[in-house]
Amino acid sequence: MSQFTASAQRKIHDVLARHVESGRIPGVVALFSKDDETHVETLGTMQHDGGAPMRRDAIFRMASASKPLSISAAMVLLDECRLRLDDPVDRWLPELADRQVLKAFDGPLDETVPARRPVTVRDVLTSSFGLGMDMTSIGTPIMNEVFAQGLTPNLPTPMPDQDEWLRRLGALPLMHQPGDHWQYHIASDLAGVLVSRVTGKTFDEVLRERVFGPLGMKDTGFHVPDEKVDRMPVLYAPDPASGEFQVWDESKGGRWNNPPAFQGGGGGLVSTADDYHAYFKMLLNGGKHRGERILSGQAVQLMTTNRLAPAQNAARTQLATHNVHISFGQGQHGGWGFGMAVRTYRGDYAPVGQFGWDGGAGTSTYADPVNNVVGILLTQVGTSVPNSVHLMHDFWTTLYQAIDE
């Protein structure tokens, strides 16, 4: 018997179509699966002013939805005992030895105290090593310096290669003592540098050999070569005031058409709905794919369950209560594992235990071990406006009703 009735599938189709027909979402690929049954909806076009129809194998810039996937390379190294959770990272990342920590997170950069202890592998994997994008601290001297040093993507100049990036990171004090506070994004990029340093290979090589290759993720990587570039939609960041479509990244000749200097685990991957489905199905399957083990079941448990104590999680709680309007309602997850959000309370239609993450380029990728469901929603509208996030909410709301029918 089908897991999704015809009327349930039609409801999902109709809610997607409503967003595309509004003119605010040029195109969308939505994949949803339960147990062994998978459905894909493709609607709209590759560009906002028409062009080729959207296709199932369209390659999207995953943005921060890169995080739950890129962290898998570090889990491979944990499984092989090439990393230990509470090892100091100094051995591979000497640039981060002997940290200084700001006396006040919003204070002058030269008012610091020594770190209480070294930064550990666990601090990096839980995004609590002491520095990160803090949406509640924009405008502080340290955040200004993070932007000035080009340590995050999305700036006019691309990030430098990993050694130069780490040198610049190492020149800054930490905002918080290692292990004290979850902070967004920078740790995900740092995890990729750590993997590269431990293995002596590029981050991309490790991911390809150990994760993408075994899972058959043939369209996932850090750039889209010329022979596939017609499968990558134009990326838009509409004007927040007028809603007018503005191109953020062209397909041909754009940022993702060439290999980047920095292979960013935080937001650098491109992929397809089917590739991401293979990855999240593997996680739901306890680390196995078609009989082949990619990760240990224990590694999957670690990644996909909450790793944060309430004090560490304060920034996320603040975002979900005081600043949730800024993120268009994203943030009702509660917890964070390694590289991904984990739902620890019922903040919307999804159950406790659902894990995954979204991307600011219009991507949403989650798996749910309670219902054995995966959902992947991909579009090309960045979150400078709420349109793609509203589509995500409506997709998940409708998908969870479809499971019931």
Side-chain angles (χ1 to χ4, degrees):
M1 183 182 139
S2 173
Q3 302 289 350
F4 300 97
T5 65
S7 73
Q9 291 177 52
R10 193 159 53 247
K11 271 186 190 159
I12 294 172
H13 172 87
D14 289 350
V15 85
L16 299 172
R18 196 166 74 226
H19 283 269
V20 172
E21 286 159 11
S22 76
R24 307 321 304 162
I25 301 289
V28 62
V29 178
L31 180 152
F32 51 101
S33 73
K34 179 168 169 54
D35 304 333
D36 295 326
E37 185 182 333
T38 303
H39 296 277
V40 179
E41 293 275 355
T42 59
L43 291 89
T45 53
M46 302 286 272
Q47 291 164 228
H48 95 88
D49 46 5
M54 184 54 74
R55 43 196 283 183
R56 178 172 178 161
D57 66 352
I59 302 172
F60 291 85
R61 303 156 191 81
M62 297 307 294
S64 285
S66 302
K67 291 174 170 71
L69 173 53
S70 66
I71 202 69
S72 59
M75 306 314 290
V76 167
L77 300 184
L78 283 177
D79 274 343
E80 294 179 348
C81 303
R82 296 171 76 181
L83 283 175
R84 296 183 202 96
L85 283 169
D86 295 305
D87 279 352
V89 296
D90 308 3
R91 180 178 151 196
W92 305 284
L93 310 174
E95 295 93 336
L96 298 185
D98 306 317
R99 293 291 77 202
Q100 290 289 312
V101 183
L102 292 174
K103 280 184 180 170
F105 75 90
D106 54 356
L109 297 182
D110 55 358
E111 291 186 11
T112 61
V113 295
R116 284 196 298 264
R117 63 164 176 78
V119 172
T120 65
V121 173
R122 187 188 302 271
D123 297 331
V124 174
L125 299 189
T126 55
S127 289
S128 56
F129 80 97
L131 200 57
M133 296 301 301
D134 195 329
M135 307 312 168
T136 57
S137 306
I138 298 295
T140 56
I142 184 68
M143 279 289 102
N144 291 344
E145 197 56 25
V146 164
F147 292 127
Q149 291 298 325
L151 293 174
T152 62
N154 304 347
L155 297 168
T157 50
M159 287 159 66
D161 68 60
Q162 65 180 31
D163 291 346
E164 171 60 17
W165 181 86
L166 194 56
R167 187 193 68 73
R168 295 182 195 178
L169 185 67
L172 297 178
L174 301 180
M175 280 177 82
H176 299 287
Q177 289 285 348
D180 275 7
H181 283 269
W182 179 90
Q183 286 184 288
Y184 190 51
H185 185 76
I186 292 179
S188 298
D189 281 340
L190 185 59
V193 181
L194 178 63
V195 165
S196 175
R197 291 272 181 94
V198 171
T199 57
K201 298 178 174 178
T202 68
F203 188 32
D204 183 51
E205 284 171 332
V206 180
L207 282 166
R208 275 179 199 288
E209 287 170 17
R210 306 307 302 275
V211 184
F212 304 164
L215 287 173
M217 298 173 69
K218 60 187 187 302
D219 291 320
T220 304
F222 289 101
H223 81 289
V224 178
D226 282 343
E227 65 269 19
K228 295 182 181 180
V229 81
D230 61 324
R231 287 165 52 196
M232 180 166 58
V234 174
L235 175 62
Y236 301 97
D239 181 280
S242 68
E244 187 185 341
F245 277 93
Q246 295 177 344
V247 173
W248 196 87
D249 188 55
E250 291 285 3
S251 305
K252 185 104 181 87
R255 277 197 183 201
W256 275 268
N257 190 200
N258 292 299
F262 187 92
Q263 296 172 350
L269 288 172
V270 293
S271 193
T272 63
D274 284 292
D275 278 9
Y276 255 67
H277 185 228
Y279 177 70
F280 276 99
K281 283 294 277 189
M282 177 272 290
L283 295 182
L284 285 182
N285 201 24
K288 287 175 101 167
H289 173 73
R290 295 182 179 158
E292 184 181 353
R293 187 157 286 292
I294 312 295
L295 294 171
S296 70
Q298 293 76 9
V300 173
Q301 281 285 317
L302 262 177
M303 296 162 73
T304 61
T305 53
N306 180 45
R307 303 264 61 82
L308 300 178
Q312 293 172 301
N313 206 24
R316 287 179 56 68
T317 305
Q318 195 177 351
L319 214 53
T321 51
H322 302 167
N323 301 83
V324 72
H325 59 289
I326 293 172
S327 60
F328 310 124
Q330 291 299 63
Q332 301 303 325
H333 306 90
W336 191 263
F338 290 164
M340 64 189 91
V342 179
R343 291 191 192 266
T344 56
Y345 65 86
R346 194 83 193 226
D348 57 23
Y349 281 49
V352 170
Q354 187 207 40
F355 56 82
W357 198 229
D358 309 293
T363 53
S364 187
T365 61
Y366 288 87
D368 164 3
V370 180
N371 297 293
N372 203 30
V373 161
V374 177
I376 313 286
L377 181 96
L378 306 175
T379 181
Q380 74 273 58
V381 179
T383 54
S384 54
V385 288
N387 304 105
S388 54
V389 186
H390 289 167
L391 169 58
M392 292 170 198
H393 288 307
D394 294 352
F395 168 67
W396 290 108
T397 298
T398 313
L399 176 55
Y400 274 107
Q401 293 171 70
I403 295 166
D404 276 350
E405 282 206 14

